[in-house]
Amino acid sequence: MQFKPIFLGTADPRSEMAQYRSFFEMLGNWSFGDYFKVEACAMAWELLTHGYEIPADRLYVTYFRGDPELGLAADEETKEIWLSLGVPPSRILPFGLKENFWEMGDTGPCGPCTEIHYDHIGGRNAAPLVNQDSPEVVEIWNLVFMQYNRESDGCLRPLPQCHVDTGMGLERLVTILQGQRSNYATDLFAPVLKAIERGSQAPPYQGRLGAEDSHHVDMAYRVVADHIRTLSVCIADGVYPGTSGAELVLRRILRRAVRFSSEVLRAPPGLLSSLVPTVVEILGDAYPELEREKSQIMRILNESEEAFLVSLQRGRHIIERTIQQGGANLTFPVGVSWSLYRNLGFPLDLIGLMLEERGLCLDTEALDRLAVEEAEKKVRNQQADGAPARVHLDVHSLAELQHRGVPRTNDSPKYNYRLGADGRYVFTPCQATVLTLYRDQSLVSAVDRGERCAAILDRTCYYAEQGGQSCDVGYFVRDGEQDVLFPVESVHVAGGYVVHEITAAEPLRVGDRLLLYLDEGQRLACMVKHTATHLLNFALRQVLGEGTAQRGSHVTAERLRFDVGVTGPVSGVQLQEVEKLLQELIAQDLEIDTAHIPLSDAKCIRGLRTVDEVYPDPVRVVSVGVPVEKLMNPSCQDGLQTSVELCCGTHLLRTAAIEDLVIISEKPLVKGIVRLIAVTGEEARQARETGQLLLREVESITERMKTRPATLSEAQQLSKEIGLLSENVDNAPIPQWQRKELQTTLKSLQRSANTAIRKVEERQAMEKVESLVEKYSHHQPVIVDAVYVESLPVLVKLVNQVCDRRPGSAVMLLSRLSSGKVLCACHVPKGSTSGLSAADWTIAVCSTMKGKAGGSTVVANGTGTSDTLDDVLQTAMNFAQIKQQKDDSNVQ
């Protein structure tokens, strides 16, 4: 959250942010230490009941009832405030953590909140319906009182100042003010619903819910109206439907809208884009970027809708076919559901609705298990550098294939892709024939539905795991049976045969004709990372010198790993130079040329980079910016100034699609070899943004350090903030060169903070010494007193200084910390005739506090625990006096 420095008190006091008091956004407001609970509740009640003239007898308020397990008391203060404002006790309702305690995450600012709810009916006691998901009683405003910070150990500490964050739902407020019962009846939605009616063949919107909406028509109206607003605003902000992160969420939202639009509302293609002008008319004043990006929004919606309608038609056929084969079974096969979701991009809730319409149910528990398994598999794959699980062809099966004369797989179609007129990559499906199947260490001629096996085809467009690039995934369909999908889970090469690991959706036999479809998003992401790896290899050589050499690499859809041999440490400046060179190469949008040529010819290319591998003959040469044919001329020197490598991987056709590359990690593997991890595209942009945010935080705390902390607590707070910031810098995905710079700065800041703490402690210690010396101005054989210091070394130093100023006195000082821990230190003059031992004295005192102590006859220290120091001080004085009395009697 952008205001976190204010809540934690870490904002630079000279910055604009530090001057913030109230900030209005989203029908709510922030108060940054300007006012708190009393004013927030009073203003909210005033605005609702007088400003908006909402009847007070329809409003209910909630407050935090506390949580004994977490040691959180009930927010009785807020309850009393509402009572003072005239809210009847029966309308002030307590709720727990889930409803009335707000936290921004596992750590960070948090606090209780109070909510205001509205009863649409009125004239009754609606208290039992509050927070019960009733459409008749809805929350309209939430006032969050940020007064704590959740520490990493889970404990709550008060914030330096108390803050307020309030938020009110625009749609719900408009519903109340316009006298409606539903958001969709307001002028925020009504024009969109009318536009949907005009663009579809559906009957007018009736506002029906549940069983009354038997054909889901009104639900479809609401889904499309909601989703078109979301899609329009997100695309205007630059978030497009895609294959990962927020983009994937948006793609699923779009596909859900398309399905309801086409199947339930029976609208022709293009309905979604036709609604954009209406959305712009309603929201354009608040979001001017909608008008500016209107054409772009409509274009993206049309293209995405067209692409999904093809998958939707196929999915419908798959569902119908599966239902026909399933007989009386009311639970739809989970494998088919997962295949629709994984391979055709169907949101699971859409599948469930389509099945519900046919009287079937979805096995959500089994789907959840599959989702967990896929996530765990992805984590395992990432931990193993992306290596997929494999079905290995044993040597006997390989020999049998060769004995039968089964031809090796022609995998040249994996390079058959092009750039379309719109600049997007086009991957053409590949036609292939099943040559043999492999299951349970045996070659077989057929497999049954649901069996896991490996398929060897006469040709394939799939890239098999090799050369450091992870394999393609996707699915097969039988020629003429577009509604039966065979998911391809991994691909590898064995003896020249490309092995496709699949799960048979239907019986599969040798001789079956197939169409092969790639997961285009994953393939393209791998192409981006692989081409980026070649450029990185070249840039490292340019910056670090010819002594660098590639020692290994691995490319997945998520990131690239590159191991490089170096002659010395890699500096942050060098990493930054590498990234700058890469950005230049990417921006030039250089063409990537490839060619298969004899290995002997390839070895004559000046500047050719190879790794310690056995290469086939002929070999594939990948050159950036210079045609391979030109490089084959022995006199050509261009290869020395660009990336030229032997590589069988799939690559981009031009460099601009990489967008950017950021090295986010650099770690030594062994002496002379460094491992680099890098990201590209959107992940690279996010890494740079995160780096800039952390840079600003470091600059802010640097400025604050220039003003010497006045108190020990201020110095310790600065030290803690620097430590937390250092942890963020160490772990966040940011440019590695920037991480090194920030780490250096933070180490210096931490030393300065430690020095500041020491100086404040020394200053305070001297003040305490002077106070004690003045207090005990006359010679006293024993001085026992309490002071407050936070560390035992400081207390020991304090005791020694008092002894220096009051020679001949035995001194014991104790300090009780807020946690209840007690620090104890003492000093007995060397050669004292009293017989008092510092060690015995400290052990006696600390043992009464169930603590430990130790030392010599002259100096000693220890710790313990006590609720109060009164008794401890008396024990210390009594022990010393008794010792002295015994010694006096012995002398007599």
Side-chain angles (χ1 to χ4, degrees), residues 171 191 223 404 500 530 576 757-758 819:
E171 290 82 2
V223 167
R404 290 182 189 177
H500 306 79
H530 204 153
Q576 189 174 15
I757 290 173
R758 187 173 64 253
S819 62

Side-chain angles (χ1 to χ4, degrees), residues 453-696:
C453 64
I456 296 175
L457 316 176
D458 63 335
R459 61 202 310 267
T460 184
C461 59
Y462 280 77
Y463 184 84
E465 173 82 17
Q466 56 186 322
Q469 179 178 328
S470 60
C471 67
D472 287 330
V473 294
Y475 62 93
F476 302 160
V477 296
R478 263 200 293 253
D479 199 7
E481 296 183 13
Q482 297 291 311
D483 53 343
V484 180
L485 276 63
F486 296 80
V488 178
E489 299 167 5
S490 70
V491 187
H492 66 278
V493 179
Y497 298 100
V498 177
V499 181
H500 306 79
E501 187 177 343
I502 66 171
T503 299
E506 290 285 353
L508 188 65
R509 297 174 177 82
V510 170
D512 282 354
R513 298 279 295 168
L514 304 175
L515 279 175
L516 281 56
Y517 292 88
L518 296 174
D519 182 327
E520 297 180 3
Q522 173 166 317
R523 161 63 84 84
L524 182 57
C526 286
M527 287 164 55
V528 167
K529 304 295 189 302
H530 204 153
T531 301
T533 301
H534 282 216
L535 294 182
L536 176 60
N537 190 11
F538 169 74
L540 287 166
R541 186 173 81 247
Q542 294 296 105
V543 174
L544 302 181
E546 288 295 326
T548 62
Q550 179 179 347
R551 298 301 185 198
S553 68
H554 197 274
V555 171
T556 68
E558 290 75 29
R559 48 91 171 169
L560 67 89
R561 186 206 77 205
F562 192 85
D563 299 338
V564 59
V566 294
T567 57
V570 182
S571 69
V573 172
Q574 289 173 321
L575 291 175
Q576 189 174 15
E577 289 176 5
V578 167
E579 288 188 6
K580 287 180 179 178
L581 178 53
L582 286 166
Q583 288 177 318
E584 293 172 8
L585 296 172
I586 293 168
Q588 291 173 30
D589 196 18
L590 299 170
E591 184 175 353
I592 290 104
D593 188 44
T594 61
H596 284 86
I597 63 175
L599 180 59
S600 58
D601 291 345
K603 289 182 177 180
C604 295
I605 294 176
R606 304 290 300 274
L608 178 72
R609 303 294 285 182
T610 62
V611 293
D612 188 17
E613 289 184 1
V614 177
Y615 291 95
D617 193 4
V619 292
R620 186 167 182 260
V621 179
V622 179
S623 172
V624 177
V626 182
V628 176
E629 184 177 359
K630 181 180 180 182
L631 294 171
M632 291 174 65
N633 186 332
S635 63
C636 181
Q637 303 287 317
D638 292 355
L640 298 172
Q641 302 302 321
T642 191
S643 168
V644 187
E645 295 192 33
L646 302 182
C647 182
C648 64
T650 58
H651 285 272
L652 296 171
L653 301 177
R654 306 193 71 88
T655 60
I658 300 172
E659 298 180 7
D660 193 8
L661 183 145
V662 170
I663 299 168
I664 59 172
S665 175
E666 173 254 331
K667 296 180 180 178
L669 289 181
V670 294
K671 184 175 177 58
I673 298 180
V674 170
R675 170 162 292 179
L676 304 177
I677 304 295
V679 292
T680 59
E682 174 63 18
E683 290 80 9
R685 184 190 66 79
Q686 291 176 357
R688 293 197 190 281
E689 286 186 357
T690 302
Q692 289 302 108
L693 288 173
L694 290 173
L695 172 61
R696 287 195 286 272

Side-chain angles (χ1 to χ4, degrees), residues 96 139 156 190 205 275 555 579 615 618 636 642 784 794 868 882:
E139 175 196 341
L156 294 175
Y205 179 70
L275 301 176
V555 171
E579 288 188 6
Y615 291 95
C636 181
T642 191
V784 175
V794 174
T868 177
I882 291 172

Side-chain angles (χ1 to χ4, degrees), residues 335-409:
V336 181
S337 302
W338 183 253
S339 181
L340 287 168
Y341 169 74
R342 177 64 180 83
N343 297 307
L344 292 182
F346 266 62
L348 291 175
D349 63 339
L350 288 194
I351 301 172
L353 189 58
M354 295 169 76
L355 296 177
E356 181 187 331
E357 294 168 353
R358 292 161 175 80
L360 300 178
C361 61
L362 192 64
D363 191 344
T364 55
E365 291 185 2
L367 285 169
D368 288 342
R369 286 195 298 271
L370 285 173
V372 170
E373 289 173 8
E374 169 124 330
E376 291 175 345
K377 179 181 178 182
K378 186 174 182 180
V379 170
R380 288 195 302 270
N381 288 346
Q382 290 175 343
Q383 292 173 343
D385 289 328
R390 292 178 176 175
V391 177
H392 289 282
L393 280 175
D394 61 277
V395 293
H396 303 292
S397 298
L398 277 173
E400 186 177 349
L401 286 172
Q402 295 165 3
H403 179 72
R404 290 182 189 177
V406 176
R408 266 72 171 182
T409 311

Side-chain angles (χ1 to χ4, degrees), residues 65 144 184 233-234 255 277 304 326 330 359 385 400 470 522 566 579 600 647 701 703 719 741 744 746 792:
R65 70 180 172 214
V144 178
Y184 300 94
V233 173
C234 287
R255 291 187 164 191
S304 301
L330 296 179
D385 289 328
E400 186 177 349
S470 60
Q522 173 166 317
V566 294
E579 288 188 6
S600 58
C647 182
I701 208 164
E703 288 298 314
S719 177
E741 291 183 355
T744 300
L746 286 166
L792 192 55

Side-chain angles (χ1 to χ4, degrees), residues 157-169:
R157 293 187 63 185
L159 290 170
Q161 286 185 307
C162 295
H163 312 276
V164 181
D165 169 18
T166 80
M168 184 156 38

